[in-house]
Amino acid sequence: AQSVTQLGSHVSVSEGALVLLRCNYSSSVPPYLFWYVQYPNQGLQLLLKYTSAATLVKGINGFEAEFKKSETSFHLTKPSAHMSDAAEYFCAVSSYRGSTLGRLYFGRGTQLTVWP
Amino acid sequence: GAGVSQSPSNKVTEKGKDVELRCDPISGHTALYWYRQSLGQGLEFLIYFQGNSAPDKSGLPSDRFSAERTGGSVSTLTIQRTQQEDSAVYLCASRDQNTGELFFGEGSRLTVL
């Protein structure tokens, strides 16, 4: 079975401060890991993904995440928060079953607030 | 179309009525998901279709919920005898099997009065 735990349902930072959104996963097989962002009244869009290549993954809007197998973590970071980063962020895990990528399991989400 | 299309975008119905929500995935995507997002809640998995395999229905909350995917393309989520607790945004997504990326529609907002 696979699962994702996002620590902290709400994170608040000041504009210009470091953003750190935590994600820990559980998987008995090599995982594929994703971060999605949801802006108010919109669908989800992909920020970045880890697919067993480089452990440090860079995504859109200056976000990056590092896959740490020893810690079973895939935390999302951004050096300097911007007001436009305020949104809900979801971490997700999946894996291959044979030649097919299996079901995607999402965390409960972290709401990021950015203060001016 | 270029993206995942869902209809209707908004649906208001009376308790006890049946509703159908439609999802038109990206052409060629073999995997299709339905999720439910309630106010203040995360994404609740409902059902997953993968090609011609039997769907994973493990997330459907009750037998009032059902979904079909005809011809491996368009999917319909049906909720029978709607209850107020069914009020939520229902999100559909299709997956690019090559990249693993899930593409989401804008969602169908259901309000049960």
Side-chain angles (χ1 to χ4, degrees), chain A residues 9-74:
Chain A
S9 58
H10 289 83
V11 170
S12 295
V13 300
S14 298
E15 192 173 19
L18 171 71
V19 176
L20 171 60
L21 305 182
R22 299 178 185 275
C23 172
N24 288 91
Y25 70 91
S26 172
S27 177
S28 58
V29 294
Y32 279 52
L33 294 157
F34 305 81
W35 275 99
Y36 282 83
V37 60
Q38 185 180 31
Y39 297 104
N41 300 313
Q42 295 186 25
L44 279 74
Q45 66 180 85
L46 183 69
L47 263 182
L48 51 78
K49 64 185 178 188
Y50 166 76
T51 57
S52 75
T55 56
L56 182 62
V57 180
K58 294 186 184 298
I60 62 172
N61 301 337
F63 283 92
E64 62 182 37
E66 186 172 9
F67 172 69
K68 292 188 177 180
K69 184 178 179 180
S70 61
E71 298 177 7
T72 60
S73 69
F74 191 56

Side-chain angles (χ1 to χ4, degrees), chain A residues 2-6 22-27 31-37 44-51 67 73-74 76 89-95 102-109, chain B residues 33 35 43 95 100-102 104:
Chain A
Q2 295 179 299
S3 66
V4 165
T5 302
Q6 290 185 241
R22 299 178 185 275
C23 172
N24 288 91
Y25 70 91
S26 172
S27 177
Y32 279 52
L33 294 157
F34 305 81
W35 275 99
Y36 282 83
V37 60
L44 279 74
Q45 66 180 85
L46 183 69
L47 263 182
L48 51 78
K49 64 185 178 188
Y50 166 76
T51 57
F67 172 69
S73 69
F74 191 56
L76 182 70
Y89 293 79
F90 294 91
C91 183
V93 64
S94 185
S95 64
R103 177 184 148 185
L104 205 64
Y105 294 81
F106 281 89
R108 294 182 61 84
Chain B
Y33 295 77
Y35 290 90
L43 288 169
R95 167 181 264 178
E101 181 176 351
L102 222 56
F104 282 84

Side-chain angles (χ1 to χ4, degrees), chain B residues 22-84:
Chain B
R22 176 189 166 101
C23 174
D24 197 346
I26 293 173
S27 178
H29 285 188
T30 57
L32 185 147
Y33 295 77
W34 282 99
Y35 290 90
R36 179 168 72 175
Q37 188 172 31
S38 304
L39 188 63
Q41 301 295 314
L43 288 169
E44 178 186 2
F45 167 78
L46 296 177
I47 189 168
Y48 162 50
F49 295 90
Q50 173 58 60
N52 295 321
S53 303
D56 178 353
K57 302 181 181 180
S58 60
L60 294 178
S62 76
D63 59 7
R64 296 187 295 105
F65 288 73
S66 63
E68 291 185 337
R69 188 178 185 192
T70 54
S73 180
V74 172
S75 177
T76 302
L77 177 69
T78 301
I79 309 172
Q80 295 179 310
R81 306 181 300 283
T82 52
Q83 304 293 313
Q84 288 184 331

Side-chain angles (χ1 to χ4, degrees), chain A residues 73-106:
Chain A
S73 69
F74 191 56
H75 301 330
L76 182 70
T77 61
K78 181 173 180 178
S80 177
H82 192 272
M83 296 293 290
S84 60
D85 294 327
E88 188 151 24
Y89 293 79
F90 294 91
C91 183
V93 64
S94 185
S95 64
Y96 268 89
R97 309 292 181 186
S99 61
T100 303
L101 200 57
R103 177 184 148 185
L104 205 64
Y105 294 81
F106 281 89

